Amino acid sequence: MKHKDVKNKYIEWFGIIVIVLALGRCAYDGVNSTSCETIQTTIFNNQEEVVLTENTHHLLDNGEKPHRILSVSSYKNSFPDSNSVQLVAAQQWGVTPVIDRADAEQRKNELVYIGASPYYHVDPLHQSIPYLVPRAAILLEDIGRAFYDSLYVKGVNLHRFIVTSVLRTQNDVKKLRRFNGNATENSCHLYGTTLDICYNRYIAVQDPEGEKRRTVRNDTLKWILTEVLRDKREEGRCYIKYEVKQGCYHLTVR
């Protein structure tokens, strides 16, 4: 047996043993607990990421068992939609490109403000403005609601995902291209159909009058968000590209 095969077999068996021991410990220590803990192990087998997750037997508030966290077997294969593919949809469903912020102020009959929502958070924007066409704004709201629902049924504390880029004016694109070689001149963001959702940062929803809720790993939240986005893409509602360097999902409504 080759050294590489031996190494992969060892990693696989090690991951399985870790899960079994962790589940046994939870069953021993947490029989009377009302919270839900999630056990996660990531195994890299031949450069393919496989996420193994199990929820404990603890029940949700409604008495049901929490759903498993599955994520996807490959981010690259699940979200392959290139800029050229997304651009066709952006031009079909979007507005005429906005020149600058003054022009955007005159286009509010075509655009919806998405800067405030209980379901997601919009980062301070420097190269874009928080506006989308109604079709894209509804999609974003639906993603936020589905993310909340998925967190609940999996027994994970509520968090908001973060939107990092929205509608870019033509002036924004020109400035961005000066220091970002990946920025394209004919960006999908010009049409109000496209946004970026960060996958490595989240904001916990806290009860202002209650105790601070426990921290949830960003990887756990990423896996759950990934399931939601995969479902929306498979429903035919959007195109999505998994961006490694930018740390985001690049999404265009369709």
Side-chain angles (χ1 to χ4, degrees):
M1 183 177 291
K2 296 181 180 179
H3 175 73
K4 182 178 180 180
D5 293 335
V6 173
K7 180 180 178 181
N8 288 338
K9 283 292 184 182
Y10 173 80
I11 293 175
E12 290 178 1
W13 279 108
F14 176 78
I16 293 171
I17 292 171
V18 168
I19 292 175
V20 171
L21 292 176
L23 289 173
R25 180 58 184 268
C26 286
Y28 179 78
D29 291 340
V31 172
N32 295 320
S33 173
T34 57
S35 64
C36 172
E37 299 294 335
T38 302
I39 310 302
Q40 295 136 346
T41 300
T42 303
I43 298 175
F44 292 89
N45 183 16
N46 296 327
Q47 298 182 340
E48 183 74 8
E49 182 177 348
V50 181
V51 180
L52 303 179
T53 63
E54 290 288 348
N55 290 73
T56 68
H57 62 283
H58 303 148
L59 303 180
L60 302 175
D61 293 340
N62 59 6
E64 297 180 358
K65 291 184 178 180
H67 296 188
R68 295 179 62 195
I69 301 172
L70 300 174
S71 189
V72 296
S73 60
S74 169
Y75 297 116
K76 180 180 179 180
N77 294 335
S78 297
F79 306 108
D81 303 316
S82 65
N83 184 72
S84 59
V85 170
Q86 297 196 33
L87 184 59
V88 174
Q91 292 173 335
Q92 178 181 1
W93 299 109
V95 298
T96 303
V98 176
I99 299 173
D100 52 27
R101 279 157 172 72
D103 184 22
E105 289 295 320
Q106 305 301 317
R107 308 280 287 277
K108 289 184 177 178
N109 61 324
E110 305 173 71
L111 300 166
V112 176
Y113 178 75
I114 56 96
S117 172
Y119 299 107
Y120 57 83
H121 170 79
V122 179
D123 256 0
L125 303 175
H126 304 291
Q127 280 84 39
S128 65
I129 52 180
Y131 291 94
L132 290 171
V133 296
R135 189 184 192 88
I138 292 172
L139 172 63
L140 177 59
E141 195 79 0
D142 288 347
I143 292 172
R145 290 174 181 269
F147 186 52
Y148 268 24
D149 289 343
S150 190
L151 289 171
Y152 174 75
V153 299
K154 295 176 189 299
V156 178
N157 290 338
L158 295 184
H159 284 69
R160 291 187 293 166
F161 58 77
I162 299 174
V163 176
T164 56
S165 184
V166 198
L167 171 67
R168 293 176 188 162
T169 68
Q170 291 177 329
N171 285 352
D172 289 329
V173 172
K174 289 179 181 178
K175 293 177 182 177
L176 188 60
R177 283 174 57 81
R178 293 175 187 171
F179 59 87
N180 185 350
N182 293 322
T184 176
E185 185 175 3
N186 194 12
S187 170
C188 296
H189 286 280
L190 286 167
Y191 300 91
T193 57
T194 304
L195 62 141
D196 294 341
I197 297 177
C198 175
Y199 56 65
N200 50 25
R201 290 186 293 121
Y202 300 84
I203 296 178
V205 176
Q206 300 289 352
D207 181 355
E209 299 181 357
E211 296 183 0
K212 186 176 181 180
R213 292 174 176 170
R214 67 179 177 84
T215 301
V216 178
R217 289 178 52 193
N218 287 335
D219 281 347
T220 302
L221 299 170
K222 176 183 179 181
W223 294 333
I224 297 173
L225 176 61
T226 296
E227 293 177 9
V228 171
L229 293 178
R230 177 204 57 204
D231 292 346
K232 296 304 177 187
R233 181 180 181 275
E234 291 180 350
E235 290 169 6
R237 296 193 61 187
C238 57
Y239 292 113
I240 305 175
K241 176 68 174 178
Y242 179 76
E243 300 284 1
V244 178
K245 293 183 178 180
Q246 283 73 38
C248 70
Y249 292 104
H250 178 69
L251 181 154
T252 296
V253 72
R254 57 181 292 195

